[in-house]
Amino acid sequence: MSLELLYRDLILEHQQSPRHFGRIAEADAEAEAFNPMCGDRVHISLKIEPQEKKIVGQAFEGEGCSICMASASMMTEEIEGLNLDEVESRVESFRSLMKGERPSGELGEDILALQGVAQFPVRIKCALLAWTCLKDAIDEWRESKKSRETGESTADSKGA
Ligand code: ZN
Protein backbone atom coordinates (compact mmCIF):
# COMPACT_ATOMS: atom_id res chain seq x y z
CA MET A 1 0.00 0.00 0.00
CA SER A 2 1.38 3.39 -0.90
CA LEU A 3 1.94 5.94 1.81
CA GLU A 4 -0.65 8.19 0.24
CA LEU A 5 -3.33 5.49 0.40
CA LEU A 6 -2.37 4.61 3.93
CA TYR A 7 -2.71 8.26 4.93
CA ARG A 8 -6.05 8.59 3.17
CA ASP A 9 -7.34 5.51 5.00
CA LEU A 10 -6.17 6.88 8.33
CA ILE A 11 -7.96 10.17 7.71
CA LEU A 12 -11.18 8.41 6.69
CA GLU A 13 -10.94 6.07 9.62
CA HIS A 14 -10.69 8.95 12.09
CA GLN A 15 -13.50 10.78 10.37
CA GLN A 16 -15.78 7.73 10.51
CA SER A 17 -15.00 6.84 14.11
CA PRO A 18 -13.78 9.99 15.78
CA ARG A 19 -11.97 9.52 19.09
CA HIS A 20 -13.09 11.37 22.19
CA PHE A 21 -16.15 12.74 20.44
CA GLY A 22 -18.51 14.66 22.71
CA ARG A 23 -18.46 17.26 25.38
CA ILE A 24 -17.10 17.05 28.93
CA ALA A 25 -19.91 18.06 31.29
CA GLU A 26 -17.81 19.91 33.86
CA ALA A 27 -14.92 21.02 31.72
CA ASP A 28 -12.08 23.08 33.16
CA ALA A 29 -11.44 24.69 29.81
CA GLU A 30 -13.37 24.92 26.59
CA ALA A 31 -13.41 26.85 23.36
CA GLU A 32 -15.21 26.95 20.07
CA ALA A 33 -13.94 27.76 16.62
CA PHE A 34 -15.48 28.22 13.22
CA ASN A 35 -13.94 28.14 9.78
CA PRO A 36 -16.18 30.19 7.46
CA MET A 37 -14.14 29.12 4.41
CA CYS A 38 -15.45 25.57 4.68
CA GLY A 39 -18.18 25.66 7.32
CA ASP A 40 -16.20 23.59 9.82
CA ARG A 41 -17.16 23.99 13.45
CA VAL A 42 -15.31 22.57 16.43
CA HIS A 43 -15.84 22.63 20.18
CA ILE A 44 -13.05 21.47 22.50
CA SER A 45 -13.47 20.68 26.17
CA LEU A 46 -10.71 19.75 28.59
CA LYS A 47 -10.19 18.50 32.11
CA ILE A 48 -6.96 19.90 33.51
CA GLU A 49 -5.19 18.82 36.67
CA PRO A 50 -4.14 22.22 38.08
CA GLN A 51 -1.01 21.22 40.05
CA GLU A 52 0.85 19.53 37.22
CA LYS A 53 -1.12 21.40 34.56
CA LYS A 54 -1.85 18.10 32.94
CA ILE A 55 -4.61 17.04 30.54
CA VAL A 56 -6.72 14.43 32.30
CA GLY A 57 -9.68 14.53 29.93
CA GLN A 58 -10.27 15.80 26.43
CA ALA A 59 -13.17 15.82 24.00
CA PHE A 60 -14.17 17.43 20.76
CA GLU A 61 -17.47 17.96 19.11
CA GLY A 62 -18.42 19.55 15.84
CA GLU A 63 -19.08 19.07 12.19
CA GLY A 64 -17.16 19.72 9.07
CA CYS A 65 -15.08 18.19 6.33
CA SER A 66 -13.06 15.00 6.71
CA ILE A 67 -9.78 16.88 7.12
CA CYS A 68 -11.14 18.96 9.97
CA MET A 69 -12.80 16.05 11.78
CA ALA A 70 -9.84 13.71 11.34
CA SER A 71 -7.43 16.38 12.54
CA ALA A 72 -9.54 17.05 15.65
CA SER A 73 -9.83 13.34 16.39
CA MET A 74 -6.09 12.76 15.98
CA MET A 75 -5.39 15.77 18.15
CA THR A 76 -7.42 14.45 21.06
CA GLU A 77 -5.35 11.26 20.97
CA GLU A 78 -2.12 13.21 20.64
CA ILE A 79 -2.60 15.33 23.77
CA GLU A 80 -3.81 12.59 26.09
CA GLY A 81 -2.01 12.81 29.45
CA LEU A 82 0.39 15.58 28.41
CA ASN A 83 1.07 18.72 30.41
CA LEU A 84 0.13 22.06 28.92
CA ASP A 85 3.66 23.00 27.87
CA GLU A 86 3.93 19.74 25.95
CA VAL A 87 0.53 20.33 24.40
CA GLU A 88 1.52 23.80 23.24
CA SER A 89 4.70 22.44 21.74
CA ARG A 90 2.65 19.85 19.79
CA VAL A 91 0.43 22.67 18.52
CA GLU A 92 3.54 24.47 17.27
CA SER A 93 4.83 21.28 15.68
CA PHE A 94 1.56 20.78 13.89
CA ARG A 95 1.59 24.38 12.66
CA SER A 96 5.03 23.89 11.18
CA LEU A 97 3.85 20.66 9.53
CA MET A 98 1.02 22.63 7.93
CA LYS A 99 3.52 25.15 6.62
CA GLY A 100 5.18 22.27 4.81
CA GLU A 101 8.11 22.32 7.23
CA ARG A 102 9.56 19.62 9.39
CA PRO A 103 7.67 19.55 12.70
CA SER A 104 9.47 21.79 15.21
CA GLY A 105 9.08 19.13 17.92
CA GLU A 106 7.57 15.77 18.68
CA LEU A 107 4.43 14.74 16.78
CA GLY A 108 2.55 11.44 16.69
CA GLU A 109 2.84 9.20 13.64
CA ASP A 110 -0.85 9.26 12.76
CA ILE A 111 -0.76 13.01 12.44
CA LEU A 112 1.80 12.80 9.67
CA ALA A 113 -1.13 11.54 7.59
CA LEU A 114 -2.18 15.18 7.40
CA GLN A 115 1.11 16.49 6.07
CA GLY A 116 -0.16 16.39 2.47
CA VAL A 117 -2.69 19.06 3.42
CA ALA A 118 0.16 21.60 3.44
CA GLN A 119 0.04 21.47 -0.36
CA PHE A 120 -3.55 22.74 -0.39
CA PRO A 121 -3.67 26.20 1.19
CA VAL A 122 -7.48 26.28 1.39
CA ARG A 123 -7.53 23.08 3.43
CA ILE A 124 -4.85 24.14 5.90
CA LYS A 125 -7.46 26.10 7.85
CA CYS A 126 -9.58 22.95 8.09
CA ALA A 127 -6.69 20.98 9.55
CA LEU A 128 -5.62 23.74 11.92
CA LEU A 129 -9.07 24.61 13.29
CA ALA A 130 -9.13 22.16 16.20
CA TRP A 131 -5.55 23.00 17.18
CA THR A 132 -6.22 26.73 17.23
CA CYS A 133 -9.31 26.03 19.29
CA LEU A 134 -7.28 23.90 21.70
CA LYS A 135 -4.74 26.69 22.09
CA ASP A 136 -7.57 29.17 22.82
CA ALA A 137 -8.97 26.89 25.52
CA ILE A 138 -5.55 26.56 27.15
CA ASP A 139 -4.82 30.30 26.95
CA GLU A 140 -8.12 31.05 28.59
CA TRP A 141 -7.51 28.49 31.30
CA ARG A 142 -4.07 29.96 32.05
CA GLU A 143 -5.56 33.47 32.18
CA SER A 144 -8.35 32.53 34.55
CA LYS A 145 -5.92 30.58 36.74
CA LYS A 146 -3.63 33.60 36.88
CA SER A 147 -6.46 35.94 37.83
CA ARG A 148 -7.71 33.44 40.45
CA GLU A 149 -4.24 33.30 41.98
CA THR A 150 -3.84 37.08 41.86
CA GLY A 151 -7.28 37.36 43.44
CA GLU A 152 -6.24 34.99 46.20
CA SER A 153 -2.95 36.78 46.93
CA THR A 154 -4.76 40.12 47.03
CA ALA A 155 -7.13 38.62 49.57
CA ASP A 156 -4.14 37.32 51.57
CA SER A 157 -2.36 40.65 51.68
CA LYS A 158 -5.57 42.32 52.82
CA GLY A 159 -5.78 39.88 55.70
CA ALA A 160 -2.14 40.42 56.72
ZN1 ZN B 1 -12.97 21.98 6.12
Side-chain angles (χ1 to χ4, degrees):
M1 195 191 271
S2 79
L3 199 57
E4 218 164 283
L5 280 178
L6 178 77
Y7 282 167
R8 199 190 60 195
D9 280 359
L10 251 177
I11 291 170
L12 287 178
E13 202 266 313
H14 272 271
Q15 184 209 2
Q16 277 155 13
S17 31
R19 320 297 198 269
H20 308 283
F21 194 85
R23 212 178 260 242
I24 296 171
E26 286 178 25
D28 298 311
E30 50 191 331
E32 216 154 18
F34 178 58
N35 170 19
M37 304 272 288
C38 180
D40 306 316
R41 198 182 292 275
V42 163
H43 176 274
I44 305 283
S45 46
L46 303 169
K47 278 300 232 187
I48 299 170
E49 195 284 304
Q51 296 305 319
E52 292 181 38
K53 300 190 176 65
K54 205 171 150 180
I55 304 279
V56 290
Q58 74 278 13
F60 88 97
E61 193 180 62
E63 50 184 7
C65 66
S66 58
I67 300 285
C68 178
M69 292 297 108
S71 182
S73 171
M74 288 172 179
M75 184 188 79
T76 59
E77 291 218 296
E78 178 79 8
I79 64 172
E80 187 151 33
L82 299 183
N83 70 44
L84 297 187
D85 289 341
E86 290 166 335
V87 171
E88 284 173 328
S89 133
R90 304 277 162 122
V91 173
E92 280 315 303
S93 295
F94 187 69
R95 281 198 179 128
S96 51
L97 187 75
M98 286 301 105
K99 283 186 212 151
E101 297 165 4
R102 273 170 61 114
S104 55
E106 220 178 303
L107 210 53
E109 264 178 45
D110 277 14
I111 292 188
L112 295 178
L114 291 167
Q115 66 187 352
V117 174
Q119 295 161 29
F120 306 97
V122 280
R123 309 311 301 279
I124 294 175
K125 265 203 153 109
C126 303
L128 275 177
L129 192 70
W131 300 73
T132 310
C133 188
L134 171 70
K135 181 74 168 78
D136 286 349
I138 291 174
D139 285 349
E140 212 168 285
W141 184 84
R142 284 198 200 269
E143 273 308 309
S144 71
K145 185 168 189 285
K146 211 189 288 169
S147 65
R148 265 199 315 276
E149 280 164 2
T150 321
E152 277 164 23
S153 64
T154 316
D156 285 350
S157 60
K158 259 183 210 155

